[in-house]
Amino acid sequence: MDHRVLLAFYGDDFTGSTDAMEALHRFGLRTILFLDVPTKEMLDRFEGVQCIGVAGTARAKDPSGMEKELTPVWELFQAIRPFFVHYKICSTFDSSPETGSIGFVSELSQRYFRGPTYPLLVGTPDLGRFTVFGNHFANFHGNVFRLDEHPVMSQHPVTPMDEADLGKHLQKQTSQTIGYKTVLDMENTAPEPSVLEDTEDITIFDALEEKHMNWFADVMWASRQEQPQFMIGSSGIEYALAAKWKAEGQTKAYEQTKQAQKIEQMLVVSGSVSDVTRRQLEKAEEAGFHMEQVPYELLTSEEVPSSFIQHILALLDQKKKVVLYTAKGPSDDAIEKTRAHLQNEGIAEDEMGIYLGKRLGEWTKHIMEQSSLRRLVISGGDTSGFVTSQLGIYGLEVLESTAPGAPLCHAYSDDGRFNGLEIALKSGQLGGEDFFENVFTAGKAEN
């Protein structure tokens, strides 16, 4: 890349990565999200792109797994030399010394990115995430809770938040020193490069209102150097910097040329069993989608069940809008029946999710290869990963923001059949109730 990239980010989970990409796109910054570490040849295909991202899974890994995954990404970003390198985390700071350790990432990153301090911004007021005097708060159903009293995050099964002070929580994960820039500092200090001088190894920035986000962005942009500035935080970093860049005209050169097209057929493949997805499936049926449940007996077939694939293809021709799903919500009898069937076939409990995801990925590829479908929706984080892998998709670019964190994207693939596919990927918890119908109708207003 001959020009200098503004921002390169790594997302510690899949849907968090699309969230960051969507935030940058919203402010007019052309952004490509890669699903693995891109080669130089891949990067050269996107000359002029202003931001790039790499989607990962570090949030679910121990430090050794995180190091293995992050090392090639940090080496790439070090070579690209963007103005900023961002380790993108969830706005609820999911982490512990054993799993998704943010402190470990900060220590690892010292090998690649120098600087007076590593700024850390988790607050995103627009999304109901606030940091005040280093303590973090999150909105839940209209009420704002301190993170250690949050109904969901304080009870998280893997990384429960028992400490709202981000510095105290982070100090359990690192021996690095941690400092704070509070709302009072922002009121009393000009947003100049001196803010980052004489600071600790990591500096936590408050964010209660939009003006605090603007102050952060002003400091960061004024402090830019020849070497990349490493930062840790939520998509609040993308929102803050992208708003700054748009205001300063950094986004003028980019005009979106790819647009969502009018389509007549769409396939939804759902491996999510969340209650949010259950409601979305019910609304899809009300909107005229044909619902086809995965026959769990076929999941263990050695060969791809060609008669079932042909059945789905016929439904697509007749019904146009088809949902292939594993279960409707957490109480669906099919979950226990599927588990029992897989167990009888010798598949271990902890391998069932991977097994199911791979099968759905294989079936989806066969359906797509034998049809002329141009739009596909995948529901479920694990399922999304396996399907994109089967289709050889290496990159995504936002076409249309159909729902926060789950945009309709243009897919880049070395397989000509899937290059240019319009695809929406969502975790079980994301998207409004009418998500599937909204994706189906995307692009129709312009055509």
Side-chain angles (χ1 to χ4, degrees):
M1 292 185 165
D2 295 331
H3 76 295
R4 190 163 185 190
V5 169
L6 290 171
L7 173 74
F9 68 88
Y10 166 91
D12 71 353
D13 78 337
F14 196 94
T15 53
S17 303
T18 56
D19 176 31
M21 169 179 63
E22 186 179 24
L24 293 165
H25 170 267
R26 190 177 300 175
F27 286 94
L29 293 151
R30 190 181 180 202
T31 305
I32 305 297
L33 176 65
F34 293 97
L35 305 189
D36 203 345
V37 185
T39 62
K40 184 180 184 304
E41 181 202 2
M42 285 178 184
L43 288 171
D44 288 345
R45 296 174 193 172
F46 300 103
E47 189 58 45
V49 164
Q50 293 177 288
C51 304
I52 66 167
V54 175
T57 56
R59 187 194 301 184
K61 295 187 174 181
D62 63 17
S64 63
M66 297 175 81
E67 181 171 5
K68 184 177 180 182
E69 180 164 322
L70 281 169
T71 296
V73 183
W74 278 185
E75 288 173 349
L76 172 71
F77 289 175
Q78 187 183 45
I80 291 173
R81 284 182 50 258
F83 284 110
F84 301 100
V85 170
H86 175 204
Y87 180 71
K88 196 275 175 191
I89 60 173
C90 182
S91 61
T92 44
F93 217 63
D94 302 29
S95 60
S96 73
E98 300 78 26
T99 307
S101 173
I102 296 166
F104 173 78
V105 171
S106 183
E107 292 175 358
L108 173 70
S109 303
Q110 290 284 352
R111 302 179 201 168
Y112 303 93
F113 311 108
R114 298 293 179 188
T117 189
Y118 284 172
L120 187 152
L121 177 76
V122 194
T124 314
D126 280 356
L127 302 180
R129 303 287 190 265
F130 312 96
T131 312
V132 187
F133 296 105
N135 285 266
H136 201 51
F137 300 79
N139 186 303
F140 183 73
H141 294 331
N143 295 310
V144 176
F145 294 89
R146 218 171 63 176
L147 216 52
D148 55 357
E149 296 177 352
H150 190 277
V152 177
M153 292 317 302
S154 64
Q155 307 295 323
H156 194 285
V158 181
T159 52
M161 288 298 292
D162 55 7
E163 176 56 70
D165 186 320
L166 296 177
K168 287 182 179 178
H169 184 80
L170 186 58
Q171 199 71 77
K172 298 172 188 173
Q173 305 171 20
T174 181
S175 59
Q176 291 181 302
T177 59
I178 301 169
Y180 300 84
K181 292 297 177 187
T182 71
V183 288
L184 290 184
D185 294 321
M186 295 173 181
E187 295 291 339
N188 299 324
T189 311
E192 297 171 349
S194 58
V195 168
L196 300 184
E197 296 170 6
D198 301 321
T199 43
E200 307 295 350
D201 296 328
I202 301 167
T203 303
I204 295 170
F205 284 77
D206 278 3
L208 177 61
E209 302 174 57
E210 186 179 350
K211 65 180 181 181
H212 302 133
M213 304 289 279
N214 295 339
W215 190 90
F216 171 84
D218 287 344
V219 169
M220 292 301 108
W221 192 233
S223 307
R224 64 190 185 279
Q225 301 286 337
E226 187 63 25
Q227 295 303 314
Q229 169 69 63
F230 182 78
M231 299 185 290
I232 301 166
S234 68
S235 60
I237 285 178
E238 277 74 24
Y239 281 100
L241 288 175
K244 171 77 174 173
W245 290 329
K246 183 173 184 179
E248 294 206 350
Q250 295 286 337
T251 62
K252 281 181 184 172
Y254 169 54
E255 287 186 16
Q256 185 171 339
T257 54
K258 295 180 175 64
Q259 303 288 340
Q261 301 299 304
K262 181 178 180 179
I263 51 120
E264 299 299 332
Q265 291 180 314
M266 189 176 89
L267 175 66
V268 175
V269 179
S270 176
S272 165
V273 297
S274 79
D275 205 51
V276 172
T277 303
R278 174 192 64 79
R279 185 66 185 137
Q280 290 168 337
L281 293 174
E282 290 172 352
K283 293 290 282 187
E285 190 165 13
E286 290 174 19
F289 279 82
H290 175 84
M291 313 300 289
E292 190 73 17
Q293 191 156 21
V294 171
Y296 62 85
E297 307 89 352
L298 296 181
L299 289 169
T300 48
S301 302
E302 286 190 24
E303 303 291 326
V304 172
S306 57
S307 60
F308 181 70
I309 299 298
Q310 293 304 316
H311 172 61
I312 298 297
L313 290 167
L315 285 172
L316 282 165
D317 283 340
Q318 296 160 18
K319 309 290 186 180
K320 307 303 181 188
K321 304 189 292 187
V322 176
V323 177
L324 180 61
Y325 70 100
T326 53
K328 277 186 184 174
S331 58
D332 192 324
D333 292 345
I335 297 174
E336 193 48 51
K337 290 177 181 176
T338 302
R339 182 181 287 121
H341 176 73
L342 295 178
Q343 202 168 29
N344 289 339
E345 295 292 325
I347 296 159
E349 182 91 22
D350 60 353
E351 294 175 1
M352 288 181 183
I354 292 173
Y355 185 90
L356 184 62
K358 284 183 176 177
R359 276 288 178 266
L360 289 176
E362 290 168 4
W363 292 7
T364 303
K365 183 182 182 185
H366 277 79
I367 293 167
M368 298 299 291
E369 284 176 337
Q370 297 177 57
S371 72
S372 57
L373 277 171
R374 298 307 304 158
R375 188 171 298 170
L376 174 67
V377 182
I378 310 297
S379 175
D382 292 338
T383 311
S384 294
F386 286 114
V387 171
T388 52
S389 174
Q390 284 288 333
L391 302 185
I393 294 170
Y394 65 81
L396 299 172
E397 183 172 5
V398 175
L399 285 174
E400 197 169 305
S401 294
T402 44
L408 180 62
C409 296
H410 176 99
Y412 293 98
S413 172
D414 285 326
D415 185 324
R417 165 66 184 93
F418 306 121
N419 190 45
L421 178 70
E422 295 184 3
I423 187 167
L425 308 165
K426 75 167 213 76
S427 76
Q429 302 301 324
L430 290 178
E433 290 190 349
D434 297 312
F435 178 75
F436 297 129
E437 179 67 10
N438 288 344
V439 176
F440 179 74
T441 57
K444 292 209 169 184
E446 292 84 15
N447 289 276

